[in-house]
Coordinates of all heavy atoms in Angstrom, one line a residue:
L328 N -20.1 -13.8 3.3 CA -20.1 -12.6 2.4 C -19.2 -12.9 1.2 O -19.5 -12.8 0.1 CB -19.7 -11.3 3.1 CG -19.4 -10.2 2.1 CD1 -20.7 -9.7 1.5 CD2 -18.8 -9.0 2.9
L329 N -18.0 -13.4 1.5 CA -17.0 -13.7 0.4 C -17.6 -14.8 -0.5 O -17.5 -14.7 -1.7 CB -15.7 -14.1 1.0 CG -14.9 -13.0 1.6 CD1 -13.4 -13.3 1.8 CD2 -14.9 -11.6 0.9
N330 N -18.2 -15.9 0.1 CA -18.8 -16.9 -0.7 C -19.8 -16.3 -1.6 O -19.9 -16.7 -2.8 CB -19.4 -18.0 0.2 CG -18.3 -18.9 0.7 OD1 -17.3 -19.2 0.1 ND2 -18.5 -19.4 1.9
R331 N -20.6 -15.4 -1.1 CA -21.7 -14.8 -1.9 C -21.0 -14.0 -3.1 O -21.5 -14.1 -4.2 CB -22.5 -13.9 -1.0 CG -23.7 -13.2 -1.8 CD -24.7 -12.8 -0.8 NE -24.5 -11.7 0.0 CZ -24.6 -10.4 -0.3 NH1 -25.0 -10.1 -1.5 NH2 -24.3 -9.4 0.5
I332 N -20.0 -13.2 -2.8 CA -19.3 -12.4 -3.8 C -18.8 -13.4 -5.0 O -19.0 -13.2 -6.1 CB -18.2 -11.6 -3.3 CG1 -18.7 -10.6 -2.2 CG2 -17.4 -10.9 -4.4 CD1 -17.7 -9.8 -1.5
F333 N -18.2 -14.5 -4.5 CA -17.6 -15.4 -5.5 C -18.7 -16.1 -6.3 O -18.6 -16.5 -7.4 CB -16.8 -16.5 -4.8 CG -15.4 -15.9 -4.3 CD1 -15.0 -16.1 -3.0 CD2 -14.6 -15.3 -5.2 CE1 -13.8 -15.6 -2.6 CE2 -13.3 -14.8 -4.8 CZ -12.9 -14.9 -3.5
Q334 N -19.9 -16.2 -5.6 CA -21.1 -16.8 -6.4 C -21.6 -15.8 -7.4 O -22.1 -16.2 -8.5 CB -22.1 -17.4 -5.4 CG -21.7 -18.8 -4.9 CD -22.3 -19.0 -3.5 OE1 -23.2 -18.5 -3.1 NE2 -21.6 -19.9 -2.8
E335 N -21.7 -14.6 -7.0 CA -22.3 -13.6 -7.8 C -21.4 -13.0 -9.0 O -21.9 -12.4 -9.9 CB -22.8 -12.4 -6.9 CG -24.0 -12.8 -6.0 CD -24.5 -11.7 -5.1 OE1 -23.8 -10.6 -5.1 OE2 -25.4 -12.0 -4.4
H336 N -20.1 -13.3 -8.8 CA -19.2 -12.8 -9.9 C -18.2 -13.9 -10.2 O -17.7 -14.6 -9.3 CB -18.4 -11.6 -9.4 CG -19.3 -10.4 -9.0 ND1 -19.7 -9.5 -9.9 CD2 -19.8 -10.1 -7.8 CE1 -20.5 -8.6 -9.4 NE2 -20.6 -8.9 -8.1
K337 N -17.8 -14.0 -11.4 CA -16.8 -15.0 -11.8 C -15.5 -14.3 -11.7 O -14.9 -13.7 -12.6 CB -17.1 -15.4 -13.3 CG -16.4 -16.7 -13.6 CD -16.8 -17.2 -15.0 CE -15.9 -18.4 -15.5 NZ -14.6 -18.5 -15.0
I338 N -14.9 -14.4 -10.4 CA -13.6 -13.7 -10.1 C -12.5 -14.6 -10.6 O -12.5 -15.8 -10.3 CB -13.5 -13.5 -8.6 CG1 -14.7 -12.7 -8.0 CG2 -12.2 -12.9 -8.2 CD1 -14.7 -11.2 -8.5
E339 N -11.5 -14.0 -11.3 CA -10.3 -14.7 -11.7 C -9.2 -14.5 -10.7 O -8.4 -15.4 -10.4 CB -9.9 -14.3 -13.1 CG -8.8 -15.2 -13.6 CD -8.1 -14.6 -14.9 OE1 -8.5 -13.6 -15.4 OE2 -7.2 -15.3 -15.4
I340 N -9.1 -13.3 -10.2 CA -7.9 -13.0 -9.4 C -8.4 -12.2 -8.2 O -9.3 -11.3 -8.3 CB -6.9 -12.0 -10.2 CG1 -6.5 -12.7 -11.5 CG2 -5.8 -11.6 -9.3 CD1 -5.9 -11.7 -12.5
V341 N -7.8 -12.4 -7.0 CA -8.1 -11.7 -5.8 C -6.9 -10.8 -5.4 O -5.8 -11.4 -5.5 CB -8.5 -12.5 -4.6 CG1 -8.7 -11.7 -3.3 CG2 -9.7 -13.3 -4.9
I342 N -7.0 -9.5 -5.2 CA -5.9 -8.7 -4.7 C -6.4 -8.3 -3.2 O -7.4 -7.7 -3.0 CB -5.6 -7.5 -5.5 CG1 -5.5 -7.9 -7.0 CG2 -4.4 -6.8 -5.0 CD1 -5.0 -6.7 -7.9
H343 N -5.6 -8.9 -2.3 CA -6.0 -8.7 -0.9 C -5.2 -7.5 -0.2 O -4.1 -7.7 0.3 CB -5.7 -10.1 -0.2 CG -6.1 -10.1 1.3 ND1 -7.2 -9.4 1.8 CD2 -5.4 -10.6 2.3 CE1 -7.2 -9.6 3.1 NE2 -6.2 -10.3 3.4
F344 N -5.9 -6.4 -0.2 CA -5.4 -5.2 0.4 C -5.8 -5.0 1.9 O -5.2 -4.4 2.7 CB -5.8 -3.9 -0.3 CG -5.4 -3.8 -1.7 CD1 -6.2 -4.1 -2.7 CD2 -4.1 -3.3 -2.0 CE1 -5.8 -3.9 -4.1 CE2 -3.7 -3.2 -3.3 CZ -4.6 -3.5 -4.3
A345 N -7.0 -5.6 2.2 CA -7.7 -5.2 3.4 C -6.8 -5.5 4.6 O -6.3 -6.6 4.8 CB -9.0 -6.0 3.5
G346 N -6.7 -4.6 5.5 CA -5.9 -4.8 6.7 C -5.7 -3.5 7.5 O -6.0 -2.4 6.9
L347 N -5.4 -3.6 8.7 CA -5.0 -2.4 9.5 C -3.5 -2.2 9.3 O -2.8 -3.2 9.2 CB -5.4 -2.7 11.0 CG -6.9 -3.0 11.3 CD1 -7.0 -3.4 12.7 CD2 -7.7 -1.8 10.9
K348 N -3.1 -1.0 9.3 CA -1.7 -0.7 8.9 C -0.9 0.3 9.8 O 0.2 0.6 9.3 CB -1.7 -0.2 7.5 CG -2.4 1.1 7.3 CD -2.1 1.7 6.0 CE -2.7 3.1 5.8 NZ -2.4 3.8 4.7
A349 N -1.4 0.7 10.9 CA -0.6 1.6 11.7 C 0.2 1.0 12.7 O -0.2 0.2 13.6 CB -1.6 2.6 12.4
V350 N 1.5 1.2 12.5 CA 2.5 0.4 13.3 C 2.4 0.7 14.8 O 2.3 -0.3 15.6 CB 4.0 0.8 12.8 CG1 5.0 0.2 13.8 CG2 4.2 0.3 11.4
G351 N 2.3 2.0 15.2 CA 2.2 2.3 16.6 C 0.9 1.8 17.2 O 1.0 1.2 18.3
E352 N -0.2 1.9 16.5 CA -1.5 1.3 17.0 C -1.4 -0.2 17.2 O -1.9 -0.7 18.2 CB -2.5 1.6 16.0 CG -4.0 1.4 16.4 CD -4.9 1.7 15.2 OE1 -4.9 1.0 14.2 OE2 -5.7 2.7 15.4
S353 N -0.6 -0.8 16.3 CA -0.5 -2.3 16.5 C 0.3 -2.7 17.7 O 0.1 -3.8 18.3 CB 0.2 -2.9 15.2 OG 1.6 -2.8 15.2
V354 N 1.2 -1.8 18.2 CA 1.9 -2.1 19.4 C 1.0 -2.0 20.6 O 1.0 -2.8 21.5 CB 3.1 -1.1 19.5 CG1 3.8 -1.3 20.9 CG2 4.1 -1.3 18.4
S355 N 0.1 -1.0 20.6 CA -0.9 -0.8 21.7 C -2.0 -1.8 21.6 O -2.5 -2.2 22.6 CB -1.5 0.6 21.6 OG -0.5 1.5 21.5
F356 N -2.4 -2.3 20.4 CA -3.6 -3.2 20.3 C -3.2 -4.4 19.4 O -3.8 -4.6 18.3 CB -4.8 -2.4 19.6 CG -5.2 -1.2 20.4 CD1 -4.8 0.1 19.9 CD2 -5.9 -1.3 21.6 CE1 -5.2 1.2 20.6 CE2 -6.3 -0.1 22.3 CZ -5.9 1.1 21.8
P357 N -2.3 -5.2 19.9 CA -1.8 -6.3 19.0 C -2.9 -7.3 18.7 O -3.0 -7.7 17.5 CB -0.7 -7.0 19.9 CG -1.0 -6.5 21.3 CD -1.6 -5.2 21.2

Side-chain angles (χ1 to χ4, degrees):
L328 172 66
L329 290 196
N330 282 325
R331 181 156 72 83
I332 298 173
F333 287 125
Q334 277 149 27
E335 289 177 358
H336 300 275
K337 197 173 173 330
I338 301 291
E339 186 191 2
I340 303 164
V341 176
I342 308 187
H343 179 38
F344 297 101
L347 301 173
K348 64 163 185 178
V350 172
E352 190 182 67
S353 80
V354 175
S355 307
F356 303 102

